[in-house]
């Protein structure tokens, strides 16, 4: 199985790099902007023509949610236009595309976990650019998988767990929003799930959307408290409302994803957020 991982220096992409040695049946090719700039359409055309792949897992993305409000062109270029090009090139070269999307395609007004076919109504430039990327994949692919995920955390790059660990060891008190509800996703679990999916997809010839996050429904405040407790820090975490912590981009107040479809279709056992968080904090301590 030959797999191309694009955006492989990011949080999710780096996780695939770390799993490489455990998957001897897979031949991985890792690229990031230096080796394959997805906005360079000629380079993408040549790369996919000259190299044979069974899968492309697109982990590249414009992920600076607040900055995207000020530079929508950059967000749309990578999250939508480059994805359209990638989907077309994958189709021509018979590569199955696994594309990563986001809970931010929803408006957050639901009162139950979002299902894959729920109405889409992003409220931020980032969310809208990711929605356009999804639409392009569905239009130009015939056997792609779109995985919507949320609140990514990992050993790599910048994320909430690392930020709280850093601030929590410097400060006595931190305020964290308690009125945005969702579920974290640990890239180790997600990368593992994606590799499990690739081994069971063979004869499927339809586009499918799936939701994936850890098990459990929490606020950022509850998440921060758990990070501090598990790490053995003493910093006090105080709950605040979103209006006391304004951000440029509007976040969905509720973005819990229903994972029933991915569990049923692939027999995946989804990890509880707290056990994955404990493992991540152990791993970070070893660094
Ligand atoms: N982070 C989250 O909480 C979250 C939540 C839901 C969904 N997602 C989605 O999950 C996916 C992975 O997220 P992530 O957090 O792993 O992202 P990330 O850490 O920001 O990684 C994205 C990678 O793409 C690279 N990249 C930027 N421009 C590129 C280009 N033109 N060509 C090729 N690569 C390029 C980035 O390089 P530079 O760093 O040099 O720009 C970076 O290495 C994204 O599609 C994101 O939208 C993320």
């Amino acid at each position: 199985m030959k797999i191309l991982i694009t955006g492989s220096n990011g949080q999710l992409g780096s996780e695939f790099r770390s799993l490489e040695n455990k998957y001897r049946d897979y031949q991985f090719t890792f690229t990031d902007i230096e080796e394959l700039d997805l906005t360079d359409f000629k380079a993408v055309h040549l790369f996919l023509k000259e190299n044979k792949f069974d899968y492309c897992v697109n982990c590249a993305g414009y992920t600076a949610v607040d900055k995207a409000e000020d530079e929508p062109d950059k967000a749309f270029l990578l999250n939508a236009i480059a994805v359209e090009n990638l989907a077309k090139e994958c189709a021509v070269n018979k590569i199955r595309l696994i594309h990563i999307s986001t809970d931010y395609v929803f408006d957050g007004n639901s009162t139950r976990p979002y299902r894959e076919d729920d109405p889409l109504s992003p409220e931020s430039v980032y969310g809208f650019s990711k929605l356009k990327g999804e639409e392009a994949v569905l239009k130009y692919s015939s056997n792609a998988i779109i995985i919507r995920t949320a609140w990514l955390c990992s050993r790599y790059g910048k994320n909430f767990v690392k930020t709280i660990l850093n601030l929590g060891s410097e400060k006595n008190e931190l305020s964290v929003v308690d009125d945005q509800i969702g579920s974290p996703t640990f890239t180790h679990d997600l990368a593992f799930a994606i590799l499990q999916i690739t081994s069971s997809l063979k004869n499927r010839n339809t586009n499918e959307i799936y939701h994936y996050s850890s098990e459990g429904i929490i606020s950022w405040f509850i998440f921060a408290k758990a990070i501090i407790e598990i790490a053995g820090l003493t910093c006090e975490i105080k709950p605040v409302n979103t209006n006391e912590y304004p951000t440029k981009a509007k976040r969905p107040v509720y973005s819990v994803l229903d994972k029933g479809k991915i569990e049923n279709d692939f027999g995946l056992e989804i990890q509880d957020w707290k056990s994955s968080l404990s493992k991540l904090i152990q791993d970070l301590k070893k660094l």
Side-chain angles (χ1 to χ4, degrees):
M1 186 99 76
K2 292 187 173 175
I3 302 194
L4 169 63
I5 309 284
T6 55
S8 65
N9 292 343
Q11 287 198 78
L12 181 59
S14 298
E15 200 68 67
F16 281 106
R17 283 182 191 269
S18 75
L19 285 175
E20 184 181 14
N21 290 338
K22 293 191 184 143
Y23 285 82
R24 299 279 180 195
D25 294 345
Y26 290 69
Q27 195 178 319
F28 289 92
T29 300
F30 297 102
T31 62
D32 204 280
I33 191 163
E34 295 289 314
E35 303 82 18
L36 183 61
D37 178 348
L38 293 186
T39 65
D40 181 343
F41 298 166
K42 197 172 169 198
V44 174
H45 175 74
L46 288 176
F47 193 84
L48 296 189
K49 197 175 154 201
E50 287 166 6
N51 298 281
K52 293 279 163 255
F53 299 107
D54 300 298
Y55 285 94
C56 169
V57 184
N58 182 24
C59 302
Y62 181 106
T63 57
V65 175
D66 290 313
K67 215 169 160 196
E69 298 294 314
D70 291 328
E71 39 186 51
D73 292 354
K74 285 190 181 170
F76 275 89
L77 178 61
L78 185 55
N79 291 347
I81 301 167
V83 173
E84 175 178 321
N85 180 62
L86 184 64
K88 286 179 184 167
E89 294 290 349
C90 282
V92 168
N93 292 290
K94 300 201 173 7
I95 301 166
R96 195 190 288 258
L97 177 60
I98 300 185
H99 178 65
I100 312 300
S101 192
T102 173
D103 54 335
Y104 281 39
V105 294
F106 296 112
D107 61 15
N109 294 324
S110 182
T111 50
R112 53 138 180 88
Y114 280 103
R115 295 184 196 121
E116 286 78 358
D117 54 1
D118 277 334
L120 304 174
S121 179
E123 301 229 304
S124 61
V125 167
Y126 167 73
F128 198 57
S129 70
K130 294 293 290 184
L131 170 57
K132 290 289 153 197
E134 286 191 9
E135 288 173 355
V137 171
L138 297 176
K139 184 169 177 189
Y140 293 105
S141 308
S142 58
N143 62 0
I145 301 283
I146 294 171
I147 300 179
R148 296 193 190 119
T149 187
W151 298 20
L152 279 193
C153 301
S154 71
R155 277 179 290 171
Y156 312 99
K158 282 189 201 157
N159 58 65
F160 186 75
V161 174
K162 289 171 80 175
T163 302
I164 294 296
L165 287 175
N166 287 338
L167 292 176
S169 55
E170 287 163 8
K171 299 190 175 202
N172 296 324
E173 190 183 298
L174 284 176
S175 297
V176 181
V177 291
D178 194 28
D179 56 355
Q180 286 175 29
I181 306 297
S183 317
T185 305
F186 297 85
T187 57
H188 181 272
D189 299 336
L190 176 57
F192 185 76
I194 291 171
L195 292 176
Q196 206 170 323
I197 288 170
T198 58
S199 61
S200 39
L201 267 178
K202 288 169 200 90
N203 298 323
R204 298 258 203 105
N205 273 316
T206 51
N207 290 321
E208 295 289 347
I209 300 176
Y210 289 102
H211 286 174
Y212 186 93
S213 70
S214 289
E215 214 47 86
I217 299 176
I218 56 174
S219 70
W220 290 108
F221 163 73
I222 300 289
F223 195 19
K225 263 179 84 78
I227 295 165
I228 294 295
E229 273 165 30
I230 293 170
L233 298 171
T234 52
C235 174
E236 191 187 345
I237 305 294
K238 294 196 155 183
V240 289
N241 289 330
T242 300
N243 57 17
E244 294 170 71
Y245 185 75
T247 52
K248 195 135 201 174
K250 196 171 172 204
R251 268 90 174 146
V253 288
Y254 179 94
S255 70
V256 179
L257 300 172
D258 184 324
K259 301 167 291 287
K261 185 178 170 193
I262 204 165
E263 284 176 297
N264 290 336
D265 280 11
F266 301 108
L268 288 182
E269 254 182 61
I270 298 187
Q271 302 297 309
D272 171 69
W273 69 272
K274 224 169 181 178
S275 63
S276 290
L277 173 63
S278 299
K279 279 186 212 138
L280 173 58
I281 291 177
Q282 291 306 321
D283 284 349
L284 285 167
K285 278 185 178 166
K286 286 182 207 150
L287 293 179

